[in-house]
mmCIF file of all heavy atoms in Angstrom:
data_model
loop_
_atom_site.group_PDB
_atom_site.id
_atom_site.type_symbol
_atom_site.label_atom_id
_atom_site.label_comp_id
_atom_site.label_asym_id
_atom_site.label_seq_id
_atom_site.Cartn_x
_atom_site.Cartn_y
_atom_site.Cartn_z
ATOM 1 N N ALA A 1 0.829 -1.207 0.000
ATOM 2 C CA ALA A 1 0.000 0.000 0.000
ATOM 3 C C ALA A 1 0.862 1.256 0.000
ATOM 4 O O ALA A 1 0.587 2.225 -0.716
ATOM 5 C CB ALA A 1 -0.932 -0.018 1.219
ATOM 6 N N ALA A 2 1.929 1.239 0.822
ATOM 7 C CA ALA A 2 2.823 2.398 0.863
ATOM 8 C C ALA A 2 3.524 2.591 -0.482
ATOM 9 O O ALA A 2 3.701 3.719 -0.951
ATOM 10 C CB ALA A 2 3.859 2.218 1.971
ATOM 11 N N GLY A 3 3.918 1.471 -1.118
ATOM 12 C CA GLY A 3 4.577 1.570 -2.422
ATOM 13 C C GLY A 3 3.645 2.143 -3.485
ATOM 14 O O GLY A 3 4.054 2.979 -4.299
ATOM 15 N N LEU A 4 2.395 1.702 -3.479
ATOM 16 C CA LEU A 4 1.422 2.212 -4.439
ATOM 17 C C LEU A 4 1.158 3.695 -4.203
ATOM 18 O O LEU A 4 1.111 4.494 -5.154
ATOM 19 C CB LEU A 4 0.122 1.426 -4.331
ATOM 20 C CG LEU A 4 -1.031 1.901 -5.221
ATOM 21 C CD1 LEU A 4 -0.649 1.797 -6.692
ATOM 22 C CD2 LEU A 4 -2.299 1.101 -4.926
ATOM 23 N N PHE A 5 0.986 4.087 -2.947
ATOM 24 C CA PHE A 5 0.735 5.482 -2.622
ATOM 25 C C PHE A 5 1.931 6.347 -3.020
ATOM 26 O O PHE A 5 1.781 7.430 -3.581
ATOM 27 C CB PHE A 5 0.453 5.608 -1.123
ATOM 28 C CG PHE A 5 0.068 6.992 -0.693
ATOM 29 C CD1 PHE A 5 -1.083 7.597 -1.193
ATOM 30 C CD2 PHE A 5 0.844 7.697 0.205
ATOM 31 C CE1 PHE A 5 -1.449 8.872 -0.795
ATOM 32 C CE2 PHE A 5 0.492 8.983 0.604
ATOM 33 C CZ PHE A 5 -0.662 9.559 0.106
ATOM 34 N N GLY A 6 3.131 5.852 -2.750
ATOM 35 C CA GLY A 6 4.329 6.598 -3.133
ATOM 36 C C GLY A 6 4.452 6.748 -4.639
ATOM 37 O O GLY A 6 4.852 7.808 -5.134
ATOM 38 N N PHE A 7 4.106 5.687 -5.378
ATOM 39 C CA PHE A 7 4.167 5.761 -6.839
ATOM 40 C C PHE A 7 3.185 6.795 -7.378
ATOM 41 O O PHE A 7 3.515 7.582 -8.266
ATOM 42 C CB PHE A 7 3.868 4.396 -7.445
ATOM 43 C CG PHE A 7 3.728 4.424 -8.946
ATOM 44 C CD1 PHE A 7 4.846 4.505 -9.758
ATOM 45 C CD2 PHE A 7 2.477 4.410 -9.533
ATOM 46 C CE1 PHE A 7 4.717 4.549 -11.140
ATOM 47 C CE2 PHE A 7 2.332 4.455 -10.910
ATOM 48 C CZ PHE A 7 3.459 4.527 -11.717
ATOM 49 N N LEU A 8 1.972 6.804 -6.842
ATOM 50 C CA LEU A 8 0.973 7.759 -7.307
ATOM 51 C C LEU A 8 1.403 9.194 -7.013
ATOM 52 O O LEU A 8 1.172 10.105 -7.820
ATOM 53 C CB LEU A 8 -0.373 7.463 -6.653
ATOM 54 C CG LEU A 8 -1.031 6.133 -7.053
ATOM 55 C CD1 LEU A 8 -2.310 5.907 -6.264
ATOM 56 C CD2 LEU A 8 -1.320 6.098 -8.552
ATOM 57 N N LEU A 9 2.022 9.412 -5.854
ATOM 58 C CA LEU A 9 2.488 10.751 -5.511
ATOM 59 C C LEU A 9 3.610 11.213 -6.433
ATOM 60 O O LEU A 9 3.690 12.379 -6.811
ATOM 61 C CB LEU A 9 2.974 10.783 -4.054
ATOM 62 C CG LEU A 9 1.912 10.850 -2.958
ATOM 63 C CD1 LEU A 9 2.577 10.776 -1.587
ATOM 64 C CD2 LEU A 9 1.087 12.125 -3.068
ATOM 65 N N SER A 10 4.481 10.293 -6.805
ATOM 66 C CA SER A 10 5.663 10.670 -7.584
ATOM 67 C C SER A 10 5.458 10.545 -9.087
ATOM 68 O O SER A 10 6.293 11.018 -9.859
ATOM 69 C CB SER A 10 6.857 9.794 -7.167
ATOM 70 O OG SER A 10 6.574 8.427 -7.414
ATOM 71 N N ALA A 11 4.367 9.911 -9.516
ATOM 72 C CA ALA A 11 4.164 9.640 -10.940
ATOM 73 C C ALA A 11 4.226 10.892 -11.817
ATOM 74 O O ALA A 11 4.814 10.851 -12.907
ATOM 75 C CB ALA A 11 2.828 8.916 -11.148
ATOM 76 N N PRO A 12 3.647 12.037 -11.399
ATOM 77 C CA PRO A 12 3.729 13.228 -12.268
ATOM 78 C C PRO A 12 5.153 13.659 -12.591
ATOM 79 O O PRO A 12 5.371 14.317 -13.599
ATOM 80 C CB PRO A 12 2.987 14.299 -11.452
ATOM 81 C CG PRO A 12 2.040 13.536 -10.596
ATOM 82 C CD PRO A 12 2.776 12.285 -10.235
ATOM 83 N N GLN A 13 6.113 13.313 -11.736
ATOM 84 C CA GLN A 13 7.504 13.656 -12.034
ATOM 85 C C GLN A 13 8.281 12.457 -12.583
ATOM 86 O O GLN A 13 9.096 12.593 -13.488
ATOM 87 C CB GLN A 13 8.210 14.169 -10.776
ATOM 88 C CG GLN A 13 9.667 14.540 -11.027
ATOM 89 C CD GLN A 13 10.325 15.138 -9.800
ATOM 90 O OE1 GLN A 13 9.667 15.389 -8.804
ATOM 91 N NE2 GLN A 13 11.610 15.376 -9.875
ATOM 92 N N VAL A 14 8.009 11.269 -12.044
ATOM 93 C CA VAL A 14 8.798 10.096 -12.425
ATOM 94 C C VAL A 14 8.506 9.671 -13.864
ATOM 95 O O VAL A 14 9.431 9.377 -14.633
ATOM 96 C CB VAL A 14 8.525 8.933 -11.453
ATOM 97 C CG1 VAL A 14 9.158 7.653 -11.970
ATOM 98 C CG2 VAL A 14 9.075 9.267 -10.078
ATOM 99 N N LEU A 15 7.245 9.619 -14.257
ATOM 100 C CA LEU A 15 6.911 9.109 -15.587
ATOM 101 C C LEU A 15 7.498 9.975 -16.708
ATOM 102 O O LEU A 15 8.095 9.448 -17.653
ATOM 103 C CB LEU A 15 5.396 8.976 -15.729
ATOM 104 C CG LEU A 15 4.754 7.917 -14.805
ATOM 105 C CD1 LEU A 15 3.253 7.843 -15.037
ATOM 106 C CD2 LEU A 15 5.394 6.548 -15.017
ATOM 107 N N PRO A 16 7.357 11.319 -16.656
ATOM 108 C CA PRO A 16 8.034 12.119 -17.689
ATOM 109 C C PRO A 16 9.557 11.972 -17.641
ATOM 110 O O PRO A 16 10.210 12.018 -18.684
ATOM 111 C CB PRO A 16 7.598 13.557 -17.364
ATOM 112 C CG PRO A 16 6.345 13.421 -16.593
ATOM 113 C CD PRO A 16 6.516 12.167 -15.800
ATOM 114 N N SER A 17 10.114 11.799 -16.441
ATOM 115 C CA SER A 17 11.562 11.632 -16.337
ATOM 116 C C SER A 17 12.014 10.353 -17.017
ATOM 117 O O SER A 17 13.062 10.304 -17.671
ATOM 118 C CB SER A 17 11.988 11.622 -14.862
ATOM 119 O OG SER A 17 11.673 12.846 -14.241
ATOM 120 N N LEU A 18 11.243 9.289 -16.869
ATOM 121 C CA LEU A 18 11.598 8.029 -17.517
ATOM 122 C C LEU A 18 11.518 8.162 -19.038
ATOM 123 O O LEU A 18 12.331 7.586 -19.760
ATOM 124 C CB LEU A 18 10.678 6.907 -17.031
ATOM 125 C CG LEU A 18 10.842 6.504 -15.563
ATOM 126 C CD1 LEU A 18 9.842 5.408 -15.197
ATOM 127 C CD2 LEU A 18 12.265 6.029 -15.289
ATOM 128 N N ALA A 19 10.535 8.916 -19.520
ATOM 129 C CA ALA A 19 10.437 9.134 -20.960
ATOM 130 C C ALA A 19 11.606 9.978 -21.462
ATOM 131 O O ALA A 19 12.104 9.780 -22.571
ATOM 132 C CB ALA A 19 9.108 9.814 -21.284
ATOM 133 N N TYR A 20 12.041 10.907 -20.648
ATOM 134 C CA TYR A 20 13.165 11.786 -21.021
ATOM 135 C C TYR A 20 14.493 11.044 -20.965
ATOM 136 O O TYR A 20 15.425 11.363 -21.709
ATOM 137 C CB TYR A 20 13.175 12.968 -20.053
ATOM 138 C CG TYR A 20 14.373 13.883 -20.165
ATOM 139 C CD1 TYR A 20 14.372 14.928 -21.078
ATOM 140 C CD2 TYR A 20 15.495 13.715 -19.360
ATOM 141 C CE1 TYR A 20 15.454 15.772 -21.192
ATOM 142 C CE2 TYR A 20 16.580 14.557 -19.461
ATOM 143 C CZ TYR A 20 16.563 15.585 -20.378
ATOM 144 O OH TYR A 20 17.628 16.424 -20.492
ATOM 145 N N LYS A 21 14.584 10.052 -20.091
ATOM 146 C CA LYS A 21 15.859 9.389 -19.826
ATOM 147 C C LYS A 21 16.474 8.769 -21.081
ATOM 148 O O LYS A 21 17.692 8.754 -21.243
ATOM 149 C CB LYS A 21 15.675 8.310 -18.752
ATOM 150 C CG LYS A 21 16.964 7.590 -18.349
ATOM 151 C CD LYS A 21 16.693 6.623 -17.213
ATOM 152 C CE LYS A 21 17.965 5.860 -16.866
ATOM 153 N NZ LYS A 21 18.383 4.943 -17.914
ATOM 154 N N SER A 22 15.652 8.276 -21.985
ATOM 155 C CA SER A 22 16.191 7.642 -23.192
ATOM 156 C C SER A 22 16.939 8.639 -24.070
ATOM 157 O O SER A 22 17.759 8.247 -24.901
ATOM 158 C CB SER A 22 15.066 6.976 -23.983
ATOM 159 O OG SER A 22 14.105 7.947 -24.386
ATOM 160 N N HIS A 23 16.664 9.936 -23.905
ATOM 161 C CA HIS A 23 17.350 10.972 -24.684
ATOM 162 C C HIS A 23 18.457 11.656 -23.884
ATOM 163 O O HIS A 23 19.116 12.556 -24.380
ATOM 164 C CB HIS A 23 16.345 12.038 -25.141
ATOM 165 C CG HIS A 23 15.199 11.487 -25.917
ATOM 166 N ND1 HIS A 23 15.320 11.060 -27.238
ATOM 167 C CD2 HIS A 23 13.911 11.255 -25.565
ATOM 168 C CE1 HIS A 23 14.144 10.626 -27.663
ATOM 169 N NE2 HIS A 23 13.276 10.726 -26.675
ATOM 170 N N SER A 24 18.639 11.224 -22.640
ATOM 171 C CA SER A 24 19.615 11.856 -21.757
ATOM 172 C C SER A 24 20.996 11.242 -21.956
ATOM 173 O O SER A 24 21.148 10.103 -22.413
ATOM 174 C CB SER A 24 19.173 11.692 -20.298
ATOM 175 O OG SER A 24 20.235 11.963 -19.413
ATOM 176 N N TRP A 25 22.023 12.001 -21.573
ATOM 177 C CA TRP A 25 23.383 11.486 -21.682
ATOM 178 C C TRP A 25 23.635 10.358 -20.685
ATOM 179 O O TRP A 25 24.622 9.634 -20.796
ATOM 180 C CB TRP A 25 24.385 12.614 -21.477
ATOM 181 C CG TRP A 25 24.529 13.099 -20.062
ATOM 182 C CD1 TRP A 25 23.637 13.822 -19.359
ATOM 183 C CD2 TRP A 25 25.651 12.903 -19.201
ATOM 184 N NE1 TRP A 25 24.114 14.099 -18.102
ATOM 185 C CE2 TRP A 25 25.351 13.552 -17.979
ATOM 186 C CE3 TRP A 25 26.881 12.257 -19.329
ATOM 187 C CZ2 TRP A 25 26.232 13.551 -16.907
ATOM 188 C CZ3 TRP A 25 27.759 12.273 -18.257
ATOM 189 C CH2 TRP A 25 27.431 12.909 -17.056
ATOM 190 N N ARG A 26 22.723 10.186 -19.709
ATOM 191 C CA ARG A 26 22.905 9.096 -18.752
ATOM 192 C C ARG A 26 22.359 7.769 -19.272
ATOM 193 O O ARG A 26 22.557 6.734 -18.645
ATOM 194 C CB ARG A 26 22.210 9.445 -17.440
ATOM 195 C CG ARG A 26 22.829 10.643 -16.748
ATOM 196 C CD ARG A 26 22.378 10.746 -15.320
ATOM 197 N NE ARG A 26 22.912 11.926 -14.654
ATOM 198 C CZ ARG A 26 22.868 12.128 -13.350
ATOM 199 N NH1 ARG A 26 22.303 11.229 -12.586
ATOM 200 N NH2 ARG A 26 23.361 13.225 -12.824
#
């Protein structure tokens, strides 16, 4: 439950970051 709640809270930042990561130098 804590993991799901944490994912929902962070999704607005994490999901775009993951999409951006493929174009990043990292």
